[in-house]
Amino acid sequence: MDRRQEILEAAAKSFSLFGYKATTMDQVAKIANVGKGTIYTFFANKEELFNAVVVKMINEMRTEADAAAVEGASFEKNAHARLMQMLKFRETHQLYAKLVDEEREIRTPAVSEVLEAIEKEIVSYIREKIEKAIRKGELKQCDTELIAYLLFKAYLALVVDWGKTHDAELTEKRIVELLSGTVFNSLLL
Amino acid sequence: MDRRQEILEAAAKSFSLFGYKATTMDQVAKIANVGKGTIYTFFANKEELFNAVVVKMINEMRTEADAAAVEGASFEKNAHARLMQMLKFRETHQLYAKLVDEEREIRTPAVSEVLEAIEKEIVSYIREKIEKAIRKGELKQCDTELIAYLLFKAYLALVVDWGKTHDAELTEKRIVELLSGTVFNSLLL
DNA sequence: GATTGACCAAAATACATTTACGGTCATCTA
DNA sequence: TAGATGACCGTAAATGTATTTTGGTCAATC
């Protein structure tokens, strides 16, 4: 089997289990059943290996977000489904969850950078969908960059942050009612 | 002069200059020109002294936020002015800025708790204003708790977070246009 | 020519020792 | 004699140091 692939999978396993900092190159080599030196013939260093693993994860997330949308459904319904899916992915997917954790309690630069990149990716993904809906005539012209950013931050706040400072999570119904009445409604043509 | 007051001022000065963790009770005693034991006749411990200082600061912030509003102006205009003022206070006021800093790089529980309390205070302040506007018939009935939370988080994201991941800050105009067209507009009766 | 693991400098960790700090209370003074 | 004080105490943090671990290299190997 492809050596590069085996290394990638081994790395994904280790990063998922132990996080970035606690994963050692020896560890990865052992899991992948290769010598440590072999890793460096495919990846320049630990951080590049990490980035490659994360890129793969981002693609999985995108795929799952797309799967959450329903052909023919309204922009609001699909945008909601997509965002909820990605936020669920964020706390369900072993690697993503681990990285969020690591970011909270240690401060590893490589992890911060990667998390930032993921968020940028999500925002630009949302933006794509908005622009597509505008082209289709479902939404009115607007500042798509800012709207995408606002949507993402709003969902992050309502789904993730709220629970940290209140004793109960917000129900999805309450979130939908709030955003449907405010942001989403204002986007309609 | 009132001993309690002198201690409070000395503490405010020290917390502002060095943060919570790096402020020592000996330090405060020296600045206040009192024996260390005296502090403990007014405040049970360092954290209570800290809380008292922060309560004072919250009141200042409230006063400044109120001063930013204009009698007779629209809800949107005043809410915007109030929120922008509080966010400016957040990075201008020596103590507040220092605490945000300390929270970012050290993880002092007392500081985290206090920052959370301040945010709660801001949100409930915004909520008050929303409810007042509803009573006056300027805004429609809505989920005031969530709207207040969303507004605060949106401003935080647009004014504070945006700059951290983009090379230029958002202009106030762009923020106003975004929120005016979405959240604020939807609140009108 | 691809693969490997012993090897190296640098970074992280563990440990021992010292220092600093929050909080107390017997003493002092007004 | 009631409030103020600072020397004092136990603990927690900081500091210094020895030891281990780790990312990355490269000469030897297959």
Side-chain angles (χ1 to χ4, degrees):
Chain A
M1 194 221 193
D2 189 4
R3 264 166 138 58
R4 192 191 141 91
Q5 206 55 34
E6 288 184 316
I7 292 169
L8 260 181
E9 269 166 40
K13 209 170 287 180
S14 185
F15 287 135
S16 296
L17 229 45
F18 309 113
Y20 176 77
K21 192 164 170 257
T23 285
T24 72
M25 296 302 265
D26 281 300
Q27 178 87 263
V28 174
K30 183 161 275 178
I31 297 178
N33 270 105
V34 297
K36 181 161 62 156
T38 308
I39 300 178
Y40 289 89
T41 66
F42 296 104
F43 303 94
N45 52 45
K46 186 180 178 183
E47 200 167 340
E48 279 219 4
L49 174 59
F50 181 50
N51 290 338
V53 168
V54 169
V55 164
K56 249 184 79 180
M57 186 194 74
I58 291 178
N59 288 333
E60 287 173 42
M61 184 169 61
R62 191 187 204 95
T63 302
E64 291 194 24
D66 281 333
V70 176
E71 180 76 23
S74 69
F75 169 79
E76 176 183 337
K77 228 177 168 51
N78 276 343
H80 175 78
R82 286 190 157 105
L83 278 157
M84 290 301 282
Q85 210 294 324
M86 290 191 284
L87 290 181
K88 175 169 283 172
F89 188 92
R90 186 188 137 107
E91 57 187 16
T92 295
H93 191 276
Q94 240 191 111
L95 176 57
Y96 201 157
K98 191 81 196 174
L99 295 183
V100 169
D101 223 60
E102 192 170 350
E103 168 72 0
R104 196 173 40 77
E105 56 188 30
I106 316 170
R107 190 65 58 105
T108 322
V111 173
S112 303
E113 278 165 34
V114 142
L115 285 177
E116 195 182 305
I118 297 175
E119 299 209 343
K120 270 219 155 86
E121 201 63 44
I122 295 178
V123 171
S124 80
Y125 171 78
I126 299 295
R127 188 181 181 182
E128 268 175 40
K129 301 306 169 191
I130 296 174
E131 288 175 349
K132 198 172 201 170
I134 292 175
R135 264 182 270 119
K136 277 189 179 164
E138 190 182 351
L139 300 186
K140 64 169 82 154
Q141 212 76 35
C142 65
D143 188 337
T144 59
E145 187 183 19
L146 261 201
I147 290 279
Y149 188 74
L150 178 66
L151 262 182
F152 173 63
K153 286 291 193 172
Y155 270 91
L156 209 57
L158 297 171
V159 175
V160 180
D161 294 352
W162 179 276
K164 288 190 205 146
T165 52
H166 298 73
D167 7 64
E169 303 268 309
L170 283 174
T171 65
E172 201 168 333
K173 179 162 175 286
R174 200 156 163 222
I175 294 174
V176 168
E177 277 170 6
L178 175 73
L179 294 178
S180 182
T182 55
V183 184
F184 283 121
N185 195 62
S186 71
L187 295 178
L188 295 175
L189 232 182
Chain B
M1 195 220 194
D2 189 4
R3 262 164 140 58
R4 192 191 140 91
Q5 206 56 34
E6 287 185 316
I7 292 170
L8 261 182
E9 271 167 37
K13 209 169 288 182
S14 185
F15 286 134
S16 297
L17 231 44
F18 310 113
Y20 177 75
K21 190 164 171 256
T23 286
T24 70
M25 295 303 265
D26 282 300
Q27 177 88 262
V28 173
K30 183 162 275 180
I31 297 177
N33 272 106
V34 297
K36 181 160 62 156
T38 308
I39 300 179
Y40 289 89
T41 66
F42 295 104
F43 303 94
N45 51 44
K46 186 181 178 183
E47 200 167 341
E48 279 220 3
L49 174 59
F50 181 51
N51 289 338
V53 168
V54 169
V55 164
K56 249 184 82 179
M57 187 194 72
I58 290 178
N59 287 333
E60 285 173 42
M61 184 169 60
R62 191 186 203 95
T63 301
E64 291 194 23
D66 280 334
V70 176
E71 180 76 24
S74 69
F75 170 79
E76 177 183 337
K77 228 180 167 51
N78 275 342
H80 175 76
R82 286 189 156 106
L83 278 157
M84 290 300 283
Q85 210 296 324
M86 289 192 285
L87 289 181
K88 175 167 281 171
F89 188 92
R90 184 187 139 108
E91 58 187 16
T92 295
H93 191 276
Q94 241 191 107
L95 176 57
Y96 202 157
K98 191 81 198 174
L99 295 182
V100 169
D101 223 60
E102 192 171 349
E103 168 71 3
R104 196 173 40 77
E105 57 187 30
I106 318 170
R107 192 64 55 105
T108 323
V111 172
S112 303
E113 278 165 33
V114 143
L115 285 177
E116 196 183 304
I118 296 175
E119 298 208 344
K120 271 222 154 83
E121 199 63 43
I122 294 178
V123 171
S124 80
Y125 170 78
I126 299 294
R127 187 181 182 181
E128 267 175 40
K129 301 306 169 191
I130 296 174
E131 287 176 349
K132 199 172 199 169
I134 293 175
R135 264 181 271 118
K136 277 187 179 165
E138 190 182 353
L139 301 186
K140 64 171 80 152
Q141 212 75 33
C142 64
D143 189 335
T144 58
E145 188 183 18
L146 263 200
I147 290 280
Y149 188 75
L150 178 66
L151 263 183
F152 172 64
K153 286 291 192 172
Y155 270 90
L156 210 56
L158 297 170
V159 176
V160 180
D161 294 351
W162 179 276
K164 287 188 203 147
T165 52
H166 298 72
D167 7 64
E169 303 267 307
L170 283 174
T171 64
E172 200 168 332
K173 180 164 176 285
R174 199 155 163 224
I175 295 175
V176 168
E177 277 170 6
L178 175 74
L179 294 178
S180 183
T182 56
V183 185
F184 283 122
N185 194 62
S186 72
L187 296 177
L188 295 174
L189 231 183

Coordinates of all heavy atoms in Angstrom, one line a residue, chain B residues 37-74:
Chain B
G37 N -2.8 44.2 57.4 CA -3.9 43.7 58.2 C -5.1 44.5 58.1 O -6.3 44.0 58.1
T38 N -4.9 45.8 57.9 CA -6.1 46.7 57.8 C -7.0 46.4 56.6 O -8.2 46.4 56.7 CB -5.6 48.2 57.6 OG1 -4.7 48.4 58.7 CG2 -6.8 49.1 57.7
I39 N -6.3 45.9 55.5 CA -7.1 45.6 54.3 C -8.1 44.5 54.7 O -9.3 44.6 54.3 CB -6.2 45.0 53.2 CG1 -5.2 46.1 52.8 CG2 -7.0 44.6 52.0 CD1 -4.2 45.6 51.7
Y40 N -7.7 43.6 55.5 CA -8.6 42.4 55.9 C -9.7 42.8 56.8 O -10.5 42.0 57.1 CB -7.7 41.3 56.4 CG -6.9 40.6 55.3 CD1 -5.6 41.1 55.0 CD2 -7.4 39.6 54.5 CE1 -4.9 40.5 53.9 CE2 -6.7 39.0 53.5 CZ -5.4 39.5 53.2 OH -4.7 39.0 52.2
T41 N -9.7 44.0 57.3 CA -10.8 44.4 58.2 C -12.0 44.9 57.2 O -13.1 45.0 57.7 CB -10.4 45.5 59.1 OG1 -10.1 46.7 58.4 CG2 -9.3 45.1 60.0
F42 N -11.6 45.2 56.0 CA -12.7 45.7 55.0 C -13.0 44.7 54.0 O -14.1 44.6 53.5 CB -12.2 47.0 54.4 CG -12.0 48.1 55.3 CD1 -10.7 48.5 55.7 CD2 -13.1 48.8 55.8 CE1 -10.6 49.6 56.5 CE2 -13.0 49.9 56.6 CZ -11.7 50.3 57.0
F43 N -12.0 43.8 53.6 CA -12.3 42.8 52.6 C -11.8 41.5 53.0 O -10.7 41.3 53.6 CB -11.5 43.2 51.3 CG -11.9 44.6 50.8 CD1 -11.2 45.7 51.2 CD2 -13.0 44.8 50.0 CE1 -11.5 47.0 50.7 CE2 -13.4 46.1 49.6 CZ -12.6 47.2 49.9
A44 N -12.6 40.5 52.8 CA -12.3 39.1 53.4 C -11.0 38.6 52.8 O -10.3 37.9 53.5 CB -13.5 38.2 53.1
N45 N -10.7 38.8 51.6 CA -9.5 38.3 50.9 C -9.3 39.0 49.6 O -10.0 39.9 49.2 CB -9.7 36.8 50.7 CG -11.0 36.5 50.0 OD1 -11.3 37.2 49.0 ND2 -11.7 35.5 50.4
K46 N -8.2 38.6 49.0 CA -7.8 39.3 47.8 C -8.9 39.3 46.7 O -9.1 40.3 46.0 CB -6.5 38.6 47.2 CG -5.9 39.3 46.0 CD -4.7 38.5 45.5 CE -4.1 39.2 44.3 NZ -2.9 38.4 43.7
E47 N -9.5 38.2 46.6 CA -10.6 38.1 45.5 C -11.7 39.1 45.8 O -12.3 39.7 44.8 CB -11.0 36.6 45.4 CG -11.7 36.4 44.1 CD -11.9 34.9 43.8 OE1 -11.2 34.1 44.5 OE2 -12.8 34.5 43.0
E48 N -12.1 39.2 47.0 CA -13.2 40.1 47.3 C -12.8 41.6 47.1 O -13.6 42.4 46.6 CB -13.7 39.9 48.8 CG -14.6 38.8 49.0 CD -15.7 39.1 50.0 OE1 -15.8 40.2 50.5 OE2 -16.5 38.2 50.3
L49 N -11.6 41.9 47.4 CA -11.1 43.2 47.1 C -11.1 43.4 45.6 O -11.6 44.5 45.1 CB -9.6 43.3 47.6 CG -8.9 44.6 47.2 CD1 -9.6 45.8 47.8 CD2 -7.4 44.5 47.8
F50 N -10.7 42.5 44.9 CA -10.7 42.5 43.4 C -12.1 42.7 42.9 O -12.4 43.6 42.1 CB -10.1 41.2 42.8 CG -10.1 41.1 41.4 CD1 -9.5 42.1 40.6 CD2 -10.5 40.0 40.7 CE1 -9.4 42.0 39.2 CE2 -10.4 39.9 39.3 CZ -9.9 40.9 38.6
N51 N -13.1 41.9 43.4 CA -14.5 42.0 43.0 C -15.0 43.4 43.2 O -15.7 44.0 42.4 CB -15.3 41.0 43.7 CG -15.0 39.6 43.2 OD1 -14.5 39.4 42.1 ND2 -15.4 38.6 44.0
A52 N -14.7 44.0 44.4 CA -15.1 45.3 44.7 C -14.6 46.4 43.7 O -15.3 47.3 43.3 CB -14.7 45.7 46.1
V53 N -13.3 46.2 43.3 CA -12.8 47.1 42.4 C -13.5 47.0 41.0 O -13.8 48.0 40.4 CB -11.2 46.8 42.2 CG1 -10.7 47.6 41.0 CG2 -10.5 47.2 43.4
V54 N -13.8 45.8 40.6 CA -14.4 45.5 39.3 C -15.8 46.1 39.3 O -16.3 46.6 38.3 CB -14.4 44.0 39.0 CG1 -15.3 43.7 37.8 CG2 -12.9 43.6 38.7
V55 N -16.5 45.9 40.4 CA -17.9 46.4 40.5 C -17.9 48.0 40.3 O -18.7 48.5 39.5 CB -18.5 46.1 41.9 CG1 -19.8 47.0 42.1 CG2 -18.9 44.7 42.0
K56 N -16.9 48.6 40.9 CA -16.8 50.1 40.6 C -16.6 50.4 39.1 O -17.2 51.3 38.6 CB -15.6 50.6 41.4 CG -16.0 51.5 42.6 CD -14.8 52.1 43.3 CE -14.2 53.4 42.5 NZ -13.0 53.9 43.3
M57 N -15.7 49.5 38.5 CA -15.4 49.7 37.1 C -16.6 49.5 36.2 O -16.9 50.3 35.3 CB -14.3 48.8 36.6 CG -13.8 49.1 35.2 SD -12.8 47.8 34.5 CE -14.0 46.5 34.3
I58 N -17.4 48.5 36.6 CA -18.6 48.2 35.8 C -19.6 49.4 35.8 O -20.2 49.8 34.8 CB -19.3 47.0 36.3 CG1 -18.5 45.7 36.0 CG2 -20.7 46.8 35.8 CD1 -19.1 44.4 36.5
N59 N -19.7 50.1 37.0 CA -20.5 51.2 37.1 C -20.0 52.4 36.3 O -20.8 53.0 35.6 CB -20.6 51.7 38.6 CG -21.5 50.7 39.4 OD1 -22.4 50.0 38.8 ND2 -21.2 50.6 40.7
E60 N -18.7 52.6 36.2 CA -18.2 53.6 35.4 C -18.5 53.3 33.9 O -18.9 54.2 33.2 CB -16.6 53.6 35.4 CG -16.0 54.2 36.7 CD -14.5 54.0 36.7 OE1 -13.9 54.2 35.7 OE2 -14.0 53.6 37.8
M61 N -18.4 52.0 33.5 CA -18.7 51.7 32.2 C -20.1 52.0 31.8 O -20.4 52.5 30.8 CB -18.3 50.2 31.9 CG -18.5 49.8 30.5 SD -17.8 48.1 30.1 CE -18.8 47.1 31.2
R62 N -21.0 51.6 32.7 CA -22.4 51.8 32.5 C -22.7 53.3 32.3 O -23.4 53.7 31.4 CB -23.2 51.3 33.7 CG -24.7 51.3 33.6 CD -25.4 50.9 34.8 NE -26.7 50.3 34.6 CZ -27.0 49.0 34.5 NH1 -26.0 48.2 34.6 NH2 -28.2 48.6 34.2
T63 N -22.1 54.1 33.2 CA -22.2 55.6 33.1 C -21.8 56.1 31.7 O -22.5 56.9 31.1 CB -21.4 56.3 34.2 OG1 -21.9 55.8 35.4 CG2 -21.6 57.8 34.1
E64 N -20.6 55.6 31.3 CA -20.1 56.1 30.0 C -21.0 55.6 28.8 O -21.2 56.3 27.8 CB -18.7 55.6 29.8 CG -17.7 56.3 30.7 CD -16.2 56.1 30.3 OE1 -16.0 55.8 29.1 OE2 -15.3 56.2 31.2
A65 N -21.5 54.4 29.0 CA -22.4 53.9 27.9 C -23.7 54.7 27.9 O -24.1 55.1 26.8 CB -22.7 52.4 28.2
D66 N -24.2 55.1 29.0 CA -25.4 55.9 29.0 C -25.1 57.3 28.4 O -25.9 57.8 27.7 CB -25.9 56.1 30.5 CG -26.7 54.9 30.9 OD1 -27.2 54.2 30.1 OD2 -26.7 54.7 32.2
A67 N -23.9 57.8 28.7 CA -23.5 59.1 28.2 C -23.4 59.1 26.6 O -23.5 60.1 26.0 CB -22.2 59.6 28.8
A68 N -23.1 57.9 26.1 CA -23.0 57.8 24.6 C -24.3 57.8 23.9 O -24.4 58.1 22.7 CB -22.2 56.5 24.3
A69 N -25.4 57.6 24.6 CA -26.7 57.6 24.0 C -27.2 59.0 23.9 O -26.9 59.9 24.7 CB -27.7 56.7 24.8
V70 N -28.1 59.3 22.9 CA -28.7 60.6 22.7 C -30.2 60.5 23.0 O -30.9 59.7 22.4 CB -28.4 61.1 21.3 CG1 -29.1 62.4 21.1 CG2 -26.9 61.2 21.0
E71 N -30.6 61.4 23.8 CA -32.1 61.4 24.1 C -32.9 61.6 22.8 O -32.6 62.5 22.0 CB -32.3 62.6 25.1 CG -33.8 62.8 25.5 CD -34.2 61.8 26.5 OE1 -33.3 61.2 27.2 OE2 -35.4 61.6 26.6
G72 N -33.8 60.8 22.6 CA -34.7 61.0 21.4 C -34.2 60.3 20.2 O -35.0 60.2 19.2
A73 N -33.0 59.8 20.2 CA -32.5 59.1 19.0 C -33.1 57.7 18.9 O -33.7 57.2 19.8 CB -30.9 59.0 19.0
S74 N -33.0 57.1 17.7 CA -33.6 55.8 17.5 C -32.9 54.7 18.3 O -31.8 54.9 18.8 CB -33.4 55.4 16.0 OG -32.1 55.1 15.7

